[in-house]
Amino acid sequence: MHNPIRVGITHGDFNGIGYEVIIKALDEEEITDLFTPVIFGSPELLNQVRKDLGTETFRFTPVRTAADAQDGKINVVDVCPRGLEMTPGHPSKEAGEAAVAALEAACLALEDGEIDFIVTAPINKKTVYSEKFPFPGHTEFLAKRLADEDGKATMILFDDEIRVALVTTHKAIRDVPAAITKDAVVKTIKNMDAALRQDFRMDKPRIAVLSLNPHNGDNGLLGSEEIDEIEPAIAECVSEGILAFGPFAADGFFGTGDYSKYDGIVAMYHDQGLAPFKALAREYGVNYTAGLKYVRTSPDHGTGYNIAGKNEADPTSMRQAIYQGIDLTRNREINREATANPMPRLKQDRKQKNTQEEA
């Protein structure tokens, strides 16, 4: 890990609020004393947004690659062609292609050890989708590109009080029930448990698992997924020492405040987990992809087309994504050192002791 830590930031959809929240999050006195920002995007567009915002204090340095990034400065790796037209609030094919180019470049820099983790600004899932990028979102792409095992990655939304993982992410509601299998639920519970231990530094995390159907399925009257898939998944995880509980009916679980009793929550589908999460976390929420070889965070909001170009975007979630990403990366490094094979260090200590005795 670099010292200071190098944070890769992708510009996302340049017709949204990505550049605005990046500039506002980084436009703080002595920010580069804390970490080295490496933005993947367009210096030309970044400068245009800087001027539109009237930000005189924000300065950046264009670099050819992330390896050329300079500590003490905000660096920008140019991944875009010249002359791109920014149309705030309006999707475009060019913006989608530029978003993918930034993501690809950031992943390559991660794999080459040029940056320590990535923060991704929001993308438009429709404009990025193509034969070259056949993924419904960041999570699915990163699961294919950077996961230890294909498809292992899990979306987790969190703030300082609540952490929610999803069994299914960007699926139509009609397709969700078929995707709620025992294996899928087990995988998500295990990924959440591993992330809480490794990245959030929790010793014995307690994980609540939500039901799919209203009223927990009412013993099969409103659906059998709880009986056939979710309960067996919880039982398997418990048999392996994971502190998993449930399933719980989602409305009562959040309505009574029971979520505060658990370190992590596993929801069955996107809005079941993220609607209550965003109501509770508000602008402090962060999107985290667990199960990758590297840390990836993101603001928990979208492209913000409705306010793009109006200087109204709140940078809090982007700022949280950066700082939480730093903490997660450091936690992972601490965990890696703590669980490393102690034999090489033991041999070194013995060798040093023998040398001292001979002297």
Side-chain angles (χ1 to χ4, degrees):
M1 189 164 62
H2 298 90
N3 187 23
I5 192 168
R6 290 191 172 186
V7 182
I9 305 172
T10 63
H11 66 168
D13 188 319
F14 61 66
N15 288 323
I17 59 174
Y19 276 126
E20 181 178 340
V21 295
I22 290 170
I23 291 172
K24 289 179 176 179
L26 298 180
D27 190 24
E28 297 183 6
E29 189 176 357
E30 299 177 344
I31 191 78
T32 54
D33 290 345
L34 303 176
F35 61 93
T36 299
V38 183
I39 302 169
F40 295 83
S42 164
E44 183 181 12
L45 296 180
L46 181 62
N47 193 49
Q48 179 179 329
V49 176
R50 180 192 67 80
K51 290 180 178 179
D52 292 342
L53 294 175
T55 305
E56 299 295 333
T57 55
F58 182 83
R59 295 289 184 271
F60 63 87
T61 300
V63 293
R64 189 174 61 85
T65 69
D68 301 321
Q70 302 175 43
D71 293 333
K73 295 184 178 181
I74 296 172
N75 304 269
V76 182
V77 180
D78 193 351
V79 299
C80 299
R82 298 287 180 181
L84 287 173
E85 183 180 359
M86 184 179 291
T87 55
H90 300 281
S92 71
K93 177 183 177 182
E94 291 75 19
E97 291 173 347
V100 172
L103 185 59
E104 290 277 9
C107 288
L108 186 60
L110 268 178
E111 293 168 327
D112 289 344
E114 297 170 354
I115 56 177
D116 295 300
F117 74 95
I118 58 172
V119 179
T120 58
I123 59 175
N124 180 317
K125 295 175 177 59
K126 185 175 182 179
T127 62
V128 299
Y129 192 87
S130 68
E131 289 185 4
K132 293 182 178 180
F133 193 90
F135 305 97
H138 279 117
T139 303
E140 294 79 6
F141 166 77
L142 294 168
K144 185 73 174 179
R145 177 68 182 266
L146 299 178
D148 289 324
E149 301 173 13
D150 187 18
K152 182 182 177 183
T154 294
M155 181 188 290
I156 297 177
L157 276 288
F158 75 97
D159 68 356
D160 289 335
E161 304 297 331
I162 184 171
R163 301 159 201 88
V164 180
L166 303 178
V167 176
T168 63
T169 52
H170 302 114
K171 277 189 178 294
I173 288 294
R174 65 177 177 272
D175 298 327
V176 168
I180 303 301
T181 64
K182 176 187 172 184
D183 288 346
V185 177
V186 166
K187 182 188 79 170
T188 307
I189 295 173
K190 288 184 176 180
N191 284 357
M192 171 63 102
D193 182 71
L196 292 175
R197 293 174 186 270
Q198 171 182 270
D199 300 332
F200 291 88
R201 301 279 294 160
M202 296 181 179
D203 186 27
K204 296 180 180 179
R206 292 166 49 87
I207 299 173
V209 182
L210 303 182
S211 62
L212 172 66
N213 298 297
H215 306 297
N216 224 350
D218 264 348
N219 295 315
L221 291 175
L222 300 178
S224 62
E225 287 83 4
E226 287 74 21
I227 297 171
D228 297 339
E229 311 294 344
I230 301 174
E231 290 177 7
I234 295 172
E236 179 176 322
C237 291
V238 170
S239 71
E240 297 182 18
I242 295 174
L243 300 179
F245 304 86
F248 300 103
D251 58 344
F253 181 80
F254 287 106
T256 60
D258 282 349
Y259 63 87
S260 63
K261 301 175 184 177
Y262 298 90
D263 301 301
I265 301 161
V266 171
M268 294 300 114
Y269 59 94
H270 190 279
D271 286 13
Q272 182 190 54
L274 301 198
F277 169 81
K278 291 187 177 185
L280 293 165
R282 300 179 67 83
E283 70 270 23
Y284 293 94
V286 174
N287 184 351
Y288 175 52
T289 308
L292 302 181
K293 300 174 185 177
Y294 310 91
V295 168
R296 174 262 175 165
T297 60
S298 176
D300 75 341
H301 56 70
T303 54
Y305 285 146
N306 60 315
I307 58 172
K310 299 179 181 179
N311 197 8
E312 297 177 4
D314 185 339
T316 303
S317 187
M318 172 59 79
R319 189 179 295 115
Q320 287 294 106
I322 293 170
Y323 287 115
Q324 294 282 14
I326 291 172
D327 288 344
L328 292 167
T329 301
R330 288 175 174 162
N331 285 346
R332 182 174 287 196
E333 184 66 20
I334 292 170
N335 183 75
R336 185 181 295 114
E337 292 176 356
T339 57
N341 185 350
M343 291 306 296
R345 179 57 185 268
L346 181 60
K347 291 179 180 178
Q348 179 65 28
D349 290 344
R350 285 177 176 173
K351 182 178 179 181
Q352 183 176 357
K353 180 180 179 181
N354 292 336
T355 301
Q356 290 171 345
E357 291 177 347
E358 291 173 0

